[in-house]
Amino acid sequence: MPRQSRRPTVSDVARLSGVSPATVSYVLNKSPGQKISAATSERVRRAAEQLGYVPNAAASTLRRGHSRVVLVVIDTLNVGHTNARSVEPLVEAITSCGLTALTYSLTSEDDLLGVVRTLQPFAVATLAFTTGAVRQSLLAAGARHVIGLNTAEGEDLGPARPGEAAIGMAQVRHLVERGRGKIVYVIPDDSPRLPIARARLRGAQEECAHQGLSAPLVLSLPMDRRAMADALSSLASLRGAGGVAASDDRMGIAVLGAMADVGWSAPDDLAVVGADNFAEGAFAVPALTSVYLPLAGLRAVAAEWLSTILAADGPPTDHALLEWDEPAEIVVRQSS
């Protein structure tokens, strides 16, 4: 059996390129603050490519005290297109800085700490709401830096979710602009996404008060077509003057289906607006109007932060990912 050749080392690259092993390390690891000529750097990279040299990730992690991984923590309450809208620009920002993105769906804080202890990531970017205490635990477990969605300590009802409240506010504003002065807010009666629905409802309640309207009538409904049709039948007095804000597009599409069952149409009988701008909403009959947060600045915020901490190589940091200064946007379709 032929003898398998050994894996090329830094010393091999150094000999072939005529430089020291330290210079090879500086070039291949893109170490800041080193004055190495472009010609020398190119010679090292060509030698590494010729030999098929691949840096030992474990050794690099041990030497630096952290890996080149940014752990992106996903909020399991968000699904599909909603998660993609936030994860994709964040991953783009991470890779543009020469780092590796690894996504993790948050199941428990203890499990997250275990993952961080194993990975020793350069940073943890949380798209799930976390307290200051949790973020400090992540730093203590081995994350070099933490950036994420912050929530106040000791909140009894979970995170305030300011971005979600902005969606509820925008839904009410749109219905008022359409001349609907009586607002119904529809949320699921049993769903893992209830914390999001309730945060959006709170935003709708605040906006109703701001507009001088009565508080919205809240309907907590199962995803059952007959039950929804029965509930809508009780709203006959609102026909022509009422507007329905659904906690997400899934509930909005269900409302449109139930309206068809009782012989009502949108927007003539009830104007309907959903949330999250799922692609499926455009295929409802009539097509569903929807409010969403575009998160257009997420990539820029994350890229700037990562670039800064990579250049500075300073002490561990804990930074807010978003300040929620981006307004919610609305896609107006036939339902409103």
Side-chain angles (χ1 to χ4, degrees):
M1 178 181 295
R3 183 178 178 183
Q4 186 175 7
S5 60
R6 66 179 178 83
R7 176 176 177 169
T9 66
V10 168
S11 296
D12 295 328
V13 177
R15 278 192 294 271
L16 182 60
S17 58
V19 299
S20 69
T23 299
V24 172
S25 180
Y26 293 148
V27 171
L28 298 184
N29 289 313
K30 300 179 181 178
S31 301
Q34 302 298 322
K35 296 181 179 180
I36 301 172
S37 70
T40 298
S41 297
E42 180 62 20
R43 194 164 70 249
V44 169
R45 283 191 289 268
R46 286 183 179 177
E49 183 177 355
Q50 180 180 336
L51 292 171
Y53 171 75
V54 178
N56 186 315
S60 298
T61 297
L62 184 63
R63 182 174 62 255
R64 288 191 303 263
H66 59 77
S67 68
R68 300 283 291 179
V69 168
V70 177
L71 186 65
V72 180
V73 182
I74 299 173
D75 189 342
T76 56
L77 297 185
N78 289 322
V79 294
H81 190 55
T82 306
N83 257 336
R85 190 178 292 129
S86 54
V87 172
E88 288 175 4
L90 187 54
V91 169
E92 288 175 1
I94 292 166
T95 56
S96 72
C97 293
L99 300 167
T100 300
L102 180 65
T103 58
Y104 167 80
S105 295
L106 181 62
T107 53
S108 76
E109 292 172 357
D110 286 342
D111 285 346
L112 174 58
L113 289 172
V115 171
V116 169
R117 291 189 188 99
T118 300
L119 282 180
Q120 297 294 289
F122 176 73
V124 175
T126 63
L127 292 169
F129 286 90
T130 52
T131 63
V134 169
R135 294 191 299 278
Q136 289 302 311
S137 296
L138 293 172
L139 293 171
R144 180 68 175 165
H145 305 279
V146 177
I147 185 171
L149 304 181
N150 301 346
T151 185
E153 304 286 350
E155 290 181 345
D156 294 334
L157 299 177
R161 298 181 176 271
E164 309 297 357
I167 286 177
M169 292 177 180
Q171 288 176 304
V172 171
R173 283 196 299 271
H174 176 71
L175 291 170
V176 171
E177 289 169 1
R178 291 297 192 267
R180 306 305 168 119
K182 299 182 183 298
I183 309 298
V184 180
Y185 209 92
V186 177
I187 64 174
D189 69 341
D190 183 20
S191 168
R193 285 171 54 82
L194 267 177
I196 290 176
R198 288 169 178 154
R200 292 174 178 178
L201 170 60
R202 286 196 292 272
Q205 291 167 332
E206 290 178 22
E207 187 61 28
C208 281
H210 177 72
Q211 297 278 352
L213 303 177
S214 299
L217 172 63
V218 181
L219 294 182
S220 179
L221 299 176
M223 287 296 289
D224 178 87
R225 193 156 179 154
R226 177 171 294 181
M228 281 197 166
D230 289 343
L232 289 177
S233 296
S234 67
L235 303 178
S237 63
L238 301 184
R239 291 179 67 181
V244 174
S247 60
D248 60 26
D249 284 350
R250 186 167 175 256
M251 293 298 292
I253 293 170
V255 167
L256 291 176
M259 286 178 64
D261 289 347
V262 298
W264 296 1
S265 64
D268 293 339
D269 293 301
L270 290 173
V272 181
V273 57
D276 292 329
N277 193 27
F278 289 174
E280 294 82 354
F283 294 92
V285 179
L288 180 66
T289 294
S290 189
V291 174
Y292 72 105
L293 287 177
L295 301 178
L298 183 58
R299 185 188 188 283
V301 170
E304 180 180 2
W305 176 72
L306 286 168
S307 298
T308 299
I309 59 177
L310 280 167
D313 194 25
T317 59
D318 177 10
H319 185 69
L321 184 59
L322 288 176
E323 298 298 338
W324 300 111
D325 55 356
E326 293 187 61
E329 294 190 2
I330 185 162
V331 178
V332 180
R333 301 189 181 102
Q334 289 84 4
S335 68
S336 63

